[in-house]
């Protein structure tokens, strides 16, 4: 560190940096000025003024000029090292006062310690040299400047005193050097701590962001089941379970002893597991299924201190697997029935040819083809339409006419009401298929002897078709899944109503391809109403 870069006075560096060099120099110079003023006061108080050498009063007056010069000096325009002239001048002033005061003011020499300390307490070797040389020069030069004779015995003082000041300067310099090294280590440690703190904060922020981003509930627990860390998803699932069901909450540690321990209880014991299924809300129609995994946390000594659990919501996956199983069972049945009929009649046809058998085979083959076409149509992302101006009333009449035989077989009557102009730009084949599917569903799910209504009317937004039945209806959960491919209500599965769960999804795809909407309103045991709206 260069002398030009040195502070005015090392121990007060931080304070002096805030108040400026002018005030700093004045404060460092102030103790000596006060002590000199005190000495002059005591000299006048205890000894008549006329018995003193005039220099006793002249030197302090000169000393008073030093703070005055410090006050008006343009420190900002002066070199940074220029303040060292002040303690050097003070050393000379003390030396002159000591010499003019004689033996009675021999103690004044000790005041030189103030400027010596001021100069030496730094890492600058130049300032150290000045701290050593200034007392020696002041002590030797003072009698020469004043014209005093130097007695032989005075040589002892003139040698010992500068030596003592030199020792004080060296001691101050060594202490300052140690303080600076210590301060540098502290600042280095502070920087390292700041970097470590910032790295820790960044790591914590990253971890929190990851935990809040992943769609997995994360729970770090201590050995007693208390929360160490949880993310928002875990807290949400825990709250949902508390509000929706009264059964045991898998997201908290149950203090009681359950017949079968849950994932929290197993994790608290230090168990490791993966893909453990947990069903929550058995009495809730929106039952949820979670896949739980856990890994234990151990101390360095091997003692268990907690565990980390992860809960993944696999409700959609479980439902998809259930739908797949239902689909496989339904499609197997739907395909096997016509195939069995075709194979049976082919066998009979080989033994006793009969044209009626061929028509049965043809009807079942067409049924298979229709089912396969429906599957392809539902699986297709882009539905090809061939629009043209069409009388939708005619399409409805044809669909009702085709469905009457099925309805009559079950004693169901179909009523139809048409209001206003019903022309629209649609694909007659595809739109007619959607009407057929909706009418077929209404008939299949209506008890015998009931009626099905089909109302077509002209509205401001387009054409609206409403098909209503008096059937078994659907629950809210079934309505939410009604347009899901291959979905079949529990009633349909229990009563073995034929179908593959493609009617409503297929109708929805056709209606939406025309730019229309389809909505469903139903209540258990109160029938179902399907409303279609399409633009002209």
């Amino acid at each position: 560190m260069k002398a030009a870069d040195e502070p005015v006075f090392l121990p007060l560096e931080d304070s002096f940096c805030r108040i400026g060099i002018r005030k700093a120099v004045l404060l460092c110079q102030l103790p000596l000025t006060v002590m000199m003023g005190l000495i002059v006061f005591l000299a006048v108080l205890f000894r008549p003024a006329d018995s003193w050498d005039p220099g006793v009063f002249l030197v302090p007056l000169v000393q008073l000029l030093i703070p005055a010069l410090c006050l008006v000096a343009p420190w900002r325009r002066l070199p940074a090292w220029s303040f060292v002239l002040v303690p050097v001048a003070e050393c000379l002033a003390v030396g002159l006062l000591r010499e003019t005061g004689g033996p009675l003011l021999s103690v004044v020499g000790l005041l030189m310690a103030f400027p010596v300390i001021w100069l030496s307490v730094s890492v600058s070797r130049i300032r150290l040299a000045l701290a050593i040389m200034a007392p020696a020069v002041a002590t030797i030069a003072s009698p020469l400047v004043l014209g005093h004779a130097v007695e032989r015995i005075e040589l002892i003082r003139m040698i010992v005193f500068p030596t003592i000041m030199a020792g004080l300067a060296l001691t101050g310099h060594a202490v300052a050097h140690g303080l600076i090294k210590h301060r540098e280590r502290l600042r280095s440690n502070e920087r390292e701590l700041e970097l470590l703190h910032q790295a820790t904060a960044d790591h914590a922020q990253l971890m929190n962001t990851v935990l809040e981003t992943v769609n997995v509930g994360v729970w770090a627990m201590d050995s007693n089941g208390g929360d160490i860390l949880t993310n928002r998803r875990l807290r949400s699932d825990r709250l949902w379970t508390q509000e929706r069901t009264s059964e045991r909450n898998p997201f908290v540690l149950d203090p009681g002893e359950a017949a079968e321990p849950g994932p929290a209880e197993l994790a608290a014991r230090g168990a490791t597991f993966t893909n453990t299924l947990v069903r929550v809300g058995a009495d809730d129609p929106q039952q949820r299924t979670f896949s739980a995994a856990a890994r234990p946390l151990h101390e360095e000594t091997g003692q268990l201190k907690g565990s980390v659990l992860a809960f993944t919501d696999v409700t959609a996956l479980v439902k998809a697997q259930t739908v797949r199983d239902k689909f496989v069972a339904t499609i197997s049945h739907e395909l096997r029935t016509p195939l069995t009929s075709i194979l049976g009649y082919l066998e009979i046809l080989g033994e006793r040819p009969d044209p009626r058998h061929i028509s049965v085979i043809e009807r079942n083959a067409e049924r298979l083809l229709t089912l396969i076409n429906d599957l392809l149509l539902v699986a297709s992302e882009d539905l090809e339409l061939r629009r043209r101006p069409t009388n939708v009333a005619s399409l409805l009449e044809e669909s009702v006419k085709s469905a009457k035989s099925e309805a009559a077989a079950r004693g169901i009557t179909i009523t139809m009401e048409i209001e206003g102009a019903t022309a629209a730009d649609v694909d007659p084949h595809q739109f007619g298929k959607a009407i057929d599917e909706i009418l077929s569903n209404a008939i299949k799910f209506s008890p015998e002897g009931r009626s099905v209504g089909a109302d077509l009317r002209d509205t401001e937004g387009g054409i609206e078709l409403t098909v209503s039945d008096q059937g078994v209806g659907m629950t809210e959960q079934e309505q939410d899944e009604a347009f899901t491919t291959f979905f079949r209500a529990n009633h349909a599965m229990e009563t073995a109503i034929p179908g593959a769960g493609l009617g409503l999804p297929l109708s929805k795809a056709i209606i939406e391809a025309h730019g229309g909407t389809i909505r469903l309103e139903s209540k258990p045991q109160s029938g179902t109403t399907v409303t279609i709206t399409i633009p002209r």
Side-chain angles (χ1 to χ4, degrees):
M1 184 179 293
K2 297 180 180 180
D5 299 329
E6 277 298 289
V8 175
F9 193 53
L10 183 69
L12 302 176
E13 176 188 359
D14 294 336
S15 298
F16 287 166
C17 286
R18 290 194 296 269
I19 66 176
I21 187 171
R22 186 184 309 279
K23 293 182 179 179
V25 172
L26 286 171
L27 288 174
C28 290
Q29 190 273 338
L30 183 62
L32 181 60
T33 302
V34 172
M35 292 304 299
M36 275 201 172
L38 178 62
I39 288 173
V40 172
F41 173 75
L42 293 175
V44 174
L45 180 64
F46 294 108
R47 185 172 181 178
D50 54 0
S51 64
W52 288 103
D53 188 312
V56 173
F57 304 100
L58 181 61
V59 173
L61 291 176
V62 174
Q63 171 67 25
L64 293 176
L65 292 177
I66 296 178
L69 291 174
C70 293
L71 187 61
V72 298
W75 294 107
R76 294 185 180 275
R77 293 196 297 271
L78 294 175
W81 53 266
S82 58
F83 71 89
V84 300
L85 299 176
V86 177
V88 170
E90 288 180 340
C91 286
L92 297 176
V94 172
L96 291 173
L97 182 61
R98 165 66 182 80
E99 187 65 27
T100 57
L104 292 176
L105 291 182
S106 60
V107 70
V108 170
L110 296 177
L111 295 180
M112 208 174 291
F114 290 107
V116 167
I117 293 174
W118 184 0
L119 285 170
S120 64
V121 180
S122 72
V123 293
S124 172
R125 294 184 178 181
I126 296 176
R127 288 173 61 176
L128 174 62
L130 289 174
I132 295 174
M133 293 172 59
V137 171
T139 302
I140 296 172
S142 294
L144 297 178
V145 171
L146 297 174
H148 293 176
V150 179
E151 298 180 4
R152 188 177 183 86
I153 194 168
E154 288 292 319
L155 292 176
I156 299 175
R157 178 183 64 81
M158 297 176 71
I159 295 173
V160 173
F161 182 76
T163 304
I164 294 174
M165 290 296 106
L168 179 62
L170 291 171
T171 303
H173 183 76
V175 171
H177 191 272
L179 287 175
I180 289 175
K181 291 296 183 182
H182 180 66
R183 183 181 62 184
E184 289 178 351
R185 285 195 297 271
L186 288 178
R187 288 180 175 177
S188 177
N189 292 338
E190 287 178 358
R191 287 193 295 270
E192 291 179 359
L193 286 175
E194 288 177 359
L195 292 175
L196 181 61
H197 176 73
Q198 185 62 41
T200 303
D202 292 342
H203 180 72
Q205 183 182 15
L206 176 62
M207 183 177 67
N208 289 334
T209 303
V210 171
L211 288 176
E212 298 303 332
T213 301
V214 297
N215 195 26
V216 176
V218 179
W219 178 18
M221 67 160 66
D222 57 26
S223 57
N224 297 321
D227 292 345
I228 299 176
L229 176 68
T230 60
N231 65 348
R232 186 182 307 167
R233 181 58 190 268
L234 189 282
R235 294 190 295 271
S236 175
D237 293 336
R238 178 184 288 173
L239 182 62
W240 182 90
T241 305
Q242 291 174 349
E243 293 177 348
R244 299 293 292 267
T245 179
S246 59
E247 63 186 44
R248 186 174 60 176
N249 192 334
F251 306 109
V252 297
L253 184 63
D254 189 356
E257 295 184 2
E260 295 184 6
E265 288 73 30
L266 293 174
R269 301 173 187 174
T272 299
F273 53 86
T274 305
N275 295 330
T276 298
L277 292 183
V278 180
R279 288 178 171 80
V280 181
D283 55 349
D284 193 294
Q286 296 182 352
Q287 183 188 57
R288 298 170 66 183
T289 305
F290 295 88
S291 175
R295 295 292 183 274
L297 293 172
H298 292 99
E299 301 278 3
E300 293 182 358
T301 58
Q303 183 179 0
L304 181 68
K305 67 175 182 180
S307 186
V308 178
L309 293 94
F311 293 88
T312 305
D313 192 339
V314 294
T315 304
L317 181 62
V318 172
K319 287 184 178 180
Q321 186 172 2
T322 303
V323 170
R324 184 200 64 181
D325 295 340
K326 289 183 178 180
F327 163 71
V328 171
T330 301
I331 293 299
S332 299
H333 178 268
E334 292 295 319
L335 292 175
R336 183 170 59 246
T337 300
L339 280 174
T340 301
S341 179
I342 290 172
L343 292 174
Y345 276 94
L346 283 174
E347 184 178 354
I348 295 174
L349 188 62
E351 297 176 356
R352 299 189 304 276
D354 189 335
R356 291 176 298 177
H357 298 163
I358 296 177
S359 63
V360 175
I361 293 173
E362 182 180 7
R363 185 170 64 252
N364 281 279
E366 290 177 351
R367 181 180 173 186
L368 280 176
L369 181 62
T370 300
L371 179 59
I372 293 173
N373 286 336
D374 290 347
L375 289 170
L376 293 175
L377 186 61
V378 171
S380 176
E381 294 183 357
D382 297 323
L383 183 62
E384 183 179 354
L385 298 179
R386 297 178 180 179
R387 295 172 178 263
R388 65 172 184 266
T390 305
N391 187 348
V392 179
S394 299
L395 294 179
L396 178 60
E397 290 173 353
E398 291 178 6
S399 295
V400 169
K401 183 178 180 181
S402 300
K404 278 188 174 180
S405 59
E406 180 184 358
R410 302 188 59 206
I412 296 174
T413 58
I414 302 177
T415 61
M416 182 173 55
E417 184 177 345
I418 300 174
E419 297 179 4
T422 57
D425 190 22
V426 298
D427 183 330
H429 174 71
Q430 298 290 2
F431 196 78
K433 185 175 184 61
I435 297 175
D436 291 341
E437 294 291 349
I438 293 172
L439 279 174
S440 177
N441 269 357
I443 294 171
K444 284 191 295 186
F445 289 96
S446 292
E448 294 184 3
R450 300 295 179 88
S451 63
V452 172
D455 298 333
L456 182 65
R457 65 180 62 86
D458 185 20
T459 64
E460 294 181 1
I463 297 174
E464 183 179 271
L465 171 63
T466 302
V467 177
S468 57
D469 61 56
Q470 301 173 356
V472 295
M474 289 186 285
T475 63
E476 291 185 4
Q477 183 179 2
E478 290 173 338
Q479 292 179 60
D480 293 337
E481 301 181 27
F483 294 103
T484 303
T485 306
F486 310 125
F487 170 75
R488 304 204 69 206
N490 292 332
H491 176 77
M493 300 293 292
E494 293 170 359
T495 56
I497 295 177
L502 298 174
L504 287 177
L506 181 60
S507 300
K508 185 175 185 290
I510 294 172
I511 299 304
E512 290 182 348
H514 282 84
T517 60
I518 180 171
R519 66 179 186 275
L520 186 146
E521 297 177 3
S522 181
K523 291 183 179 180
Q525 308 304 322
S526 298
T528 301
T529 299
V530 179
T531 303
I532 296 173
T533 303
I534 58 167
R536 295 189 185 85

